[in-house]
Amino acid sequence: MRHEADPRSRPGTRPDATASSGPHLLAVGGGKGGVGKTLLTANIAAALAQAGRRVVAIDTDLEGANLHTVLGVPAPRASLADFVAKRESDLRKLVVDTPIPGLRLIAGTQGHLGAPQPRSFRRVALLSELRKLPADHVLVDLGAGTHPSVMDYFLVGQDGILVLTPEPTSVENAYSFLRAAFYRRLRLAMTSESARALVHQAMDQGNQRGIRTPLDLLREIRTIAPEEGERFAAAVQGFRPRIVVNAARTAEDVRLGFAVKSVCKKYFGIEADYVGYVNHDEAVTQAIRQRRPVVVSHPHSDAAVYLTRIARKLMDAGRRARGSRPAPRPHGAHGYARRPLA
Amino acid sequence: MRGFDEVDHYDTLEIRPDATADEVERAYRLLIATWADDSLATYSMFGEEEAGAMRDRIETAYRVLADPELRRRYDAAQLSGAEQDSGAAIAVEEPVVLAPLAEASLAKPLAEARREVPTFDRMDDVEEADDGTEVAWDGARLRRARLMRGVEVEDVATATKISPAYLRFLEEERFDDLPAVVYVRGFVAAYARYLGLDAAQVSRSYGARFEEHRRAKPPRGRLLGHR
């Protein structure tokens, strides 16, 4: 059935996922709360499911889980919290159905109020479990902030989506988020303790060594180890966040995505992709009240059209990424799960 | 300078070496807005001085690339690798800050590699139907195409000399408020051309839609084309 949805795929092959490479992982983050991360997650997941893909959406925001509500699932008993608390070690057993065919969910409900975030070793286990999920795409909804667990989920995906709204607070937090992800990724790419220590120092924006920018950091790393400098460059190159502007009302708001892309290029040296925007649309509010993704409840609304378009681009990107990759890498884009990091 | 791997004017404007004059213009306008004082996208990341330095760089790049003759000479100088040969007229950039980074990360010449990077910048590419058939253009699609380019109705009006009211009627498909089909086709063609779309196809598609409506519901007692 699914093959019919994609005429470009060769018969008998799944275009995006193979047994060895696991599902296409997309993480949706953005730093600030309320910018539409859950909205994006639910709708991209639903749009992909509508396109005939097998999708699992997972709510990692254990302190403020509501992905299940947006998808129209009454608070499920099984939740990611069971995995975090080690009541369940097989993530696949925590998947529940949603009213949308092809779309299933791991909810973030019933978290432990005292210790909602998994410890780092549990996170590594979780990240490798994500790759075993029986799906073409796994959408990971992130919580707000820049907690290390949030960054880990963001970096593990082949696609990290950065959601922002055209407001100073959101843009500022999006940059903090990006900075945190950027340095965490760099730190992982460094092999020597001294280079890692330098990255760690650079993360402290008031550091005494005068490292203020990624460029300063690169210079410092070069002086201690030139080969680490090359790893640095490779890590920078491989980091391609996808920007989405939510709640856009004017052409200027739409331009914000390009502007943020420019800052990414000129400050971090990274190539971000502006994959699209979602306009401010009353249909979105109505859809949330109906507890359904807007692409399902109001498929002809502007917001639904934009969201579907973003989903299609991400689907193509996932396909392209796999097509151009020389060999499947069972441990993610940068061998992440092998290396626990506090 | 914070530029990370800016090695030439094309990088500064974030365009490809084969960018058209139109793309140079658009990129420049977008960047100047991005790096303006109080710009939402930059104020929290860059101080006034840094943003100012970046604007200077953008201006320099634009001055060279927007002028066909200067651009030709700049390209030739880049190709021959003789950086200083172009003289003061081209305003050669300060020494490349991070060329080694670019070299370390890109085995091929940068220009060539850049061409291969998949990009989503052409946000209108999705307007092409996936199976290659022509898409139907309606008001909503026109509006989307406009917004995707970061263009306000007033910009279109200034450039095309079509009143903003008519442009809005086109987008909102208030067919009864629009003049005769011949004018509407002309408006749509001008609008589409301004957005860099296929003017003939868009006006044909929209015009057919408009005519269908007129056939179903002819306007009453009004001289077509005059208001």
Side-chain angles (χ1 to χ4, degrees), chain A residues 10 20 29 40 71 81 85 132 140 150 154 159 203 275 290 316 328:
Chain A
R10 276 167 292 143
S20 60
L40 255 292
L71 291 173
K132 295 184 198 156
V140 184
V150 174
F154 187 73
D159 282 307
M203 292 165 84
V275 291
Q290 295 177 15
D316 291 346

Side-chain angles (χ1 to χ4, degrees), chain A residues 126 174 266 280 283 298:
Chain A
L126 172 59
K266 288 184 162 55
H280 183 86
H298 301 73

Side-chain angles (χ1 to χ4, degrees), chain A residues 251, chain B residues 142-143 146-147 150-169 171-172 191 194-195:
Chain B
L142 266 182
R143 185 168 135 268
R146 170 174 66 77
L147 285 172
V151 174
E152 306 287 0
V153 165
E154 285 67 26
D155 302 331
V156 186
T158 309
T160 60
K161 309 275 192 291
I162 302 168
S163 94
Y166 277 157
L167 292 169
R168 290 209 174 82
F169 293 161
E171 291 187 354
E172 290 159 20
Y191 189 170
Y194 177 75
L195 294 179

Side-chain angles (χ1 to χ4, degrees), chain A residues 199-247:
Chain A
V199 178
H200 190 72
Q201 281 189 333
M203 292 165 84
D204 170 9
Q205 291 178 53
N207 67 77
Q208 299 297 308
R209 290 182 80 118
I211 303 175
R212 296 284 174 269
T213 69
L215 180 56
D216 295 340
L217 174 59
L218 175 61
R219 288 205 187 101
E220 291 277 331
I221 285 179
R222 277 238 173 88
T223 59
I224 62 159
E227 70 284 357
E228 292 279 39
E230 290 187 23
R231 279 186 210 107
F232 185 112
V236 169
Q237 269 238 314
F239 186 41
R240 302 198 63 157
R242 319 283 193 188
I243 302 163
V244 173
V245 174
N246 186 28

Side-chain angles (χ1 to χ4, degrees), chain A residues 267-286:
Chain A
Y267 181 84
F268 295 105
I270 56 179
E271 291 284 348
D273 286 317
Y274 182 22
V275 291
Y277 64 94
V278 183
N279 68 328
H280 183 86
D281 190 338
E282 193 50 37
V284 172
T285 316
Q286 288 173 24

